[in-house]
Amino acid sequence: MKGRDEIAHALAASGYIADADLATAISLMQLLRRPLLLEGEAGVGKTEVAKALAKVHATELIRLQCYEGLDQSSALYEWNYQRQLLAIQAHRGTDSIEDQVFSEKYLLERPLLAAIRRAQAPVLLIDEIDRADDEFEAFLLELLSDYQVSIPELGTIPAVTIPHVVLTSNGTRELSDALRRRCLYHYVDYPDVDRETRIILARVAGASPSLSLQIARMVENVRKEELRKVPGVAETLDWAAALVGLEISDLHDAPETVYETLVCLLKTHEDRARVTPEVTQRLLGKVA
């Protein structure tokens, strides 16, 4: 078990700059061996938390991407029907063949089953759980409560190790109280200027402290505009990499380039039209 400061330092060493509240949530997640639900807008870095945790623990990241219509067979296990059919044809007339084809030999692991059967506890990322149906969310409760799953042909399969479980949600629908009760919770917001500056310095080679600070301040200003899609941290890093690649060392020295490269931040026609050269100049004027 690591304390908050140790967790924050370990995450930073893996390239993720966490605030104190997130580091505390992860520390408690490990102490209590409970899933951690990360909620927030798209692009704030929720998925990156799981990736960084896998690096910190030097373990496998197993990702389940949720979507509408996701079912148990896609998330838990499937039977290898082709191999089963071949086995049945090869042993036609054998009484015990039915029991044989519903055995481990013909079982295909999907993310949830794989996560509880690893010898070394992996990080299990259940990404965008709000996109899955209520029925699938209810199915998860057994796994998150008892760390075991039920397969009718094989019975109950308990976890070999308890994975580090991270769930993310963009808030597109309300999650059930039952799911929330089983998880620790942290809301991931857009980083403040200081933390985004540190993120740029950690992730973009060649970005100077002064330029990183200017970029973070400019992005903060852009986010305050009435945009259809507010740029996330990934967009900030793309923009920073573009400016460094174009050898820009000070935003005030290249206002035209600043405007032209905002395509890295603004991802809809409406937002691009809204942030005109005049608006860009106004926002740039607020950057010290």
Side-chain angles (χ1 to χ4, degrees), residues 175-195:
L175 302 177
S176 69
D177 290 342
L179 180 65
R180 289 184 181 276
R181 280 197 302 270
R182 285 161 174 78
C183 302
L184 302 181
Y185 177 83
H186 178 72
Y187 186 85
V188 183
D189 207 345
Y190 293 105
D192 59 23
V193 168
D194 177 66
R195 190 156 71 92

Side-chain angles (χ1 to χ4, degrees), residues 7-218:
I7 287 289
H9 180 75
L11 290 172
S14 71
Y16 189 94
I17 309 300
D19 60 23
D21 289 343
L22 176 58
T24 298
I26 293 174
S27 177
L28 292 174
M29 164 197 178
Q30 297 183 346
L31 172 65
L32 302 174
R33 304 179 86 179
R34 295 278 295 279
L36 176 61
L37 172 61
L38 300 176
E39 202 162 34
E41 298 292 331
V44 294
K46 302 184 296 296
T47 299
E48 292 300 316
V49 173
K51 294 179 180 179
L53 268 180
K55 292 180 181 178
V56 167
H57 291 288
T59 192
E60 180 183 3
L61 173 67
I62 297 177
R63 179 174 181 170
L64 174 63
Q65 179 62 52
C66 298
Y67 54 87
E68 185 176 355
L70 176 64
D71 58 14
Q72 294 186 31
S73 63
S74 300
L76 183 59
Y77 74 96
E78 287 183 288
W79 292 108
N80 190 329
Y81 296 117
Q82 291 183 330
R83 289 193 63 192
Q84 286 177 320
L85 181 59
L86 290 173
I88 292 171
Q89 292 175 341
H91 298 83
R92 192 180 304 275
T94 303
D95 294 336
S96 61
I97 187 59
E98 182 175 346
D99 293 334
Q100 293 178 23
V101 296
F102 287 106
S103 62
E104 285 276 352
K105 181 179 179 180
Y106 300 94
L107 188 67
L108 298 176
E109 288 184 343
R110 296 306 182 220
L112 296 183
L113 182 59
I116 66 170
R117 301 218 299 178
R118 293 293 191 261
Q120 178 183 357
V123 172
L124 171 61
L125 170 61
I126 303 175
D127 212 8
E128 298 183 323
I129 181 60
D130 53 318
R131 294 186 180 275
D133 303 322
D134 293 341
E135 292 78 8
F136 181 77
E137 184 182 321
F139 156 71
L140 275 179
L141 298 181
E142 179 187 13
L143 176 71
L144 299 181
S145 295
D146 304 320
Y147 290 101
Q148 63 181 30
V149 295
S150 299
I151 298 178
E153 298 85 354
L154 299 178
T156 300
I157 299 179
V160 175
T161 57
I162 296 178
H164 311 278
V165 183
V166 176
L167 301 93
T168 73
S169 170
N170 295 334
T172 59
R173 70 169 177 86
E174 184 59 38
L175 302 177
S176 69
D177 290 342
L179 180 65
R180 289 184 181 276
R181 280 197 302 270
R182 285 161 174 78
C183 302
L184 302 181
Y185 177 83
H186 178 72
Y187 186 85
V188 183
D189 207 345
Y190 293 105
D192 59 23
V193 168
D194 177 66
R195 190 156 71 92
E196 194 147 29
T197 299
R198 293 167 58 206
I199 292 170
I200 296 168
L201 286 169
R203 299 292 291 272
V204 181
S208 67
S210 59
L211 178 63
S212 298
L213 179 59
Q214 285 186 335
I215 291 171
R217 286 174 172 166
M218 184 65 176

